[in-house]
Amino acid sequence: MWASDPDLDEPLTLDVVAETVGARRSLVMRLAERGLIETVNSETDGPRLPRRVVIQLRRMQRLRRDLGVNYAGAAVILDLVGRIEQLNRELAEMHRRLQ
Amino acid sequence: MAANVKDYYEVLGVKRGASEDEIKKAYRKLARKFHPDLNPGDKTAEEQFKQVQQAYDVLSNPEDRKLYDQYGENWRAVKSGAGAPPPGWEQAQRSTRAGGSRPEGGFDFSDFDFGGFRSAGDEGFDIFEEIFSRAGRGRGARRGRGRDVEAELELSLEEAHRGGRRTLQMQATELCPECNGSGVKDGKTCDTCGGAGEVSRPKTIEVNIPAGVRDGSTIRLAGQGGIGSNGSEPGDLYLHIRLRPHPLFRVNGDDLEVELSIAPSEAVLGAKVEAPTIDGKVELTVPPGTNTGQRLRLRGQGLKKRKGGRGDEYVRMKIVVPKEVSAEERRLYEELQRISRFDPRRNA
């Protein structure tokens, strides 16, 4: 779903991510510990999260709010939607090549 | 800006006397179908979801629902304490209850996250109030920092490769200048914003597209998202790049692939031919004995990478035979057939 992208690779601290999405730091930390959001290796103290996590978290929040799923469910949904998007693009490309 | 909307009960497909549980179930069912995060890029689904969410926001709140049932589209004005409903509200309400579209006015949806394009921000964080540190604000209250906004930007392969500036016309949400965000003016629902307190205005922004973006890349434009309240910083704009299919080139990561037709004699004897690249034509040496499907690499003629360098271009050979030949060509092909020892089915 997420290509390597300098605009979204920027490492942010837990505090910045939490502040940006309006969440408690402990919640962001918990999601990172459970592998539901991506973290990047950091030589400094404390984990870092790539900026793309901000978008991911907001989508998870919306799915949680609107569909009533939990964060783990939202993470799975986003992963599957990303895969469907990718498959649709490949399918469109194959159709184009067959024409 | 105001748009006519359907009756909220009709939008959710429930009866007027539906229980809270029935309303919630109907909302969840429709949300699963139309949610913008589940239908990326689908504007129709996005519009449907806006209506569903608007309806649910009102009908899921007992106080708002009661006012809506009583005053129809003017319930916001009554709620804000702006006084008695405007003249004619009873007629509007009757018309609504009859199942038709609202005869006048209606709501602008610009207070929604997905207005015009996908918005990463969350104005309606209500459900997270137990969890999120910003809990406690009123329902629908504006947060301090502006909303982050997501939008899709379609580029040609050439634009993505070269980068450059691009002017975008977008719909930006601003506080309604008529009612200063209150949603009410002169004791009535504000005509300009339909009671939303915000209006959607066209906004032109210059986007610097870095060379080497790809399908699925995201460009972040800091401070170009939703407005912040009380002088706080605006949100960011995230542009998700979509590449239009190219008539010639197929993209494979940083590499490009293109098909090139060659004549049988060029395939057998080798030749120097012109091959298309993303930057124009270059001379390509086709080695003698080239077959259909064989790929020749043009090093460094692929797409620019964001962090410098370039991919390669692969030219896939396709031997094309003439449908019609002259008498002289036919004579030479017959002569070739007679003297040639080549058997393409030798290993069959």
Side-chain angles (χ1 to χ4, degrees):
Chain A
M1 185 173 186
W2 304 104
S4 177
D5 195 327
D7 281 320
L8 300 184
D9 287 343
E10 180 190 358
L12 305 174
T13 63
L14 275 173
D15 290 318
V16 169
V17 171
E19 168 65 22
T20 306
V21 301
R24 285 212 176 95
R25 186 183 193 278
S26 57
L27 173 68
V28 179
M29 171 84 100
R30 208 162 60 242
L31 295 175
E33 283 171 354
R34 291 180 186 173
L36 296 177
I37 52 175
E38 186 186 348
T39 54
V40 289
N41 291 330
S42 167
E43 291 176 2
T44 57
D45 56 340
R48 292 283 191 274
L49 301 101
R51 183 175 286 282
R52 65 176 57 84
V53 164
V54 169
I55 301 178
Q56 187 188 2
L57 270 174
R58 288 215 162 104
R59 288 178 179 168
M60 288 166 74
Q61 289 169 337
R62 286 197 295 262
L63 290 173
R64 189 177 188 277
R65 178 194 65 194
D66 300 331
L67 305 186
V69 295
N70 61 19
Y71 282 108
V76 172
I77 288 169
L78 290 178
D79 182 46
L80 292 175
V81 168
R83 287 194 214 177
I84 290 170
E85 267 193 284
Q86 179 62 30
L87 289 172
N88 281 339
R89 279 204 288 272
E90 287 176 14
L91 193 62
E93 173 65 21
M94 287 175 76
H95 276 304
R96 195 176 68 85
R97 292 175 72 191
L98 287 173
Q99 281 169 0
Chain B
M1 285 298 154
N4 287 332
V5 292
K6 289 180 183 172
D7 175 81
Y8 289 156
Y9 292 98
E10 202 176 284
V11 168
L12 293 182
V14 295
K15 292 177 183 168
R16 295 193 75 81
S19 67
E20 284 181 29
D21 196 44
E22 285 171 325
I23 287 172
K24 190 172 185 176
K25 269 187 191 167
Y27 167 72
R28 286 271 159 82
K29 188 177 173 186
L30 292 167
R32 279 199 301 274
K33 191 173 176 185
F34 297 121
H35 201 283
D37 286 316
L38 304 182
N39 300 276
D42 184 342
K43 296 291 172 199
T44 310
E46 196 175 301
E47 285 305 313
Q48 295 267 26
F49 184 73
K50 280 182 210 166
Q51 291 195 15
V52 168
Q53 193 167 37
Q54 172 89 10
Y56 181 67
D57 276 351
V58 175
L59 299 186
S60 62
N61 181 316
E63 191 186 319
D64 290 352
R65 182 181 176 185
K66 195 176 167 188
L67 288 172
Y68 175 73
D69 286 345
Q70 200 172 353
Y71 299 108
E73 69 178 53
N74 292 301
W75 71 275
R76 280 179 195 270
V78 177
K79 187 185 180 186
S80 70
W89 70 268
E90 285 171 308
Q91 188 186 348
Q93 186 189 29
R94 277 198 297 276
S95 173
T96 300
R97 284 186 173 166
S101 296
R102 291 167 195 283
E104 58 187 5
F107 295 112
D108 182 284
F109 291 114
S110 54
D111 58 338
F112 275 81
D113 295 334
F114 304 103
F117 32 76
R118 289 153 64 192
S119 160
D122 250 324
E123 189 155 22
F125 260 25
D126 319 59
I127 205 166
F128 301 109
E129 293 201 344
E130 296 168 9
I131 303 166
F132 291 97
S133 53
R134 290 179 177 181
R137 300 186 188 203
R139 184 179 180 82
R142 296 179 56 75
R143 298 297 186 260
R145 184 179 183 273
R147 283 172 282 167
D148 287 347
V149 175
E150 290 180 64
E152 288 197 352
L153 175 61
E154 198 177 71
L155 298 177
S156 68
L157 189 59
E158 285 84 357
E159 286 174 310
H161 171 64
R162 290 171 198 144
R165 293 191 78 76
R166 175 91 177 255
T167 304
L168 295 183
Q169 290 283 348
M170 310 190 81
Q171 291 295 114
T173 304
E174 296 173 355
L175 279 184
C176 176
E178 288 300 314
C179 64
N180 287 322
S182 69
V184 177
K185 193 179 182 195
D186 300 333
K188 289 196 296 180
T189 300
C190 175
D191 285 338
T192 304
C193 66
E198 294 178 341
V199 288
S200 192
R201 297 260 189 241
K203 180 183 176 185
T204 303
I205 55 170
E206 288 278 320
V207 182
N208 190 26
I209 298 164
V213 292
R214 297 282 183 273
D215 195 61
S217 290
T218 302
I219 300 172
R220 174 175 166 257
L221 300 173
Q224 295 285 358
I227 50 170
S229 62
N230 301 323
S232 57
E233 62 176 323
D236 298 336
L237 170 62
Y238 290 93
L239 287 176
H240 300 297
I241 303 299
R242 291 279 171 262
L243 290 189
R244 276 194 292 276
H246 195 279
L248 281 183
F249 299 107
R250 185 171 167 251
V251 180
N252 186 12
D254 299 322
D255 298 333
L256 291 173
E257 192 173 298
V258 66
E259 190 177 76
L260 186 68
S261 299
I262 53 173
S265 59
E266 290 173 326
V268 174
L269 304 173
K272 288 190 186 298
V273 297
E274 278 192 336
T277 73
I278 193 80
D279 297 315
K281 291 190 173 175
V282 297
E283 189 177 80
L284 173 71
T285 302
V286 179
T290 295
N291 260 313
T292 284
Q294 196 169 330
R295 296 197 315 166
L296 301 177
R297 183 167 70 166
L298 289 170
R299 192 188 295 270
Q301 294 288 348
L303 295 173
K304 286 180 186 168
K305 301 176 186 176
R306 288 287 294 273
K307 293 175 179 172
R310 287 184 68 162
D312 299 327
E313 178 177 316
Y314 289 90
V315 185
R316 186 182 291 274
M317 296 294 135
K318 183 184 177 187
I319 299 171
V320 179
V321 298
K323 282 198 172 171
E324 291 175 8
V325 289
S326 66
E328 176 68 358
E329 282 173 319
R330 184 170 188 85
R331 188 186 66 75
L332 290 171
Y333 271 114
E334 285 171 348
E335 177 70 7
L336 183 64
Q337 192 176 42
R338 191 179 61 77
I339 63 169
S340 176
R341 292 178 185 172
F342 176 60
D343 178 7
R345 295 167 295 278
R346 186 172 53 199
N347 297 324

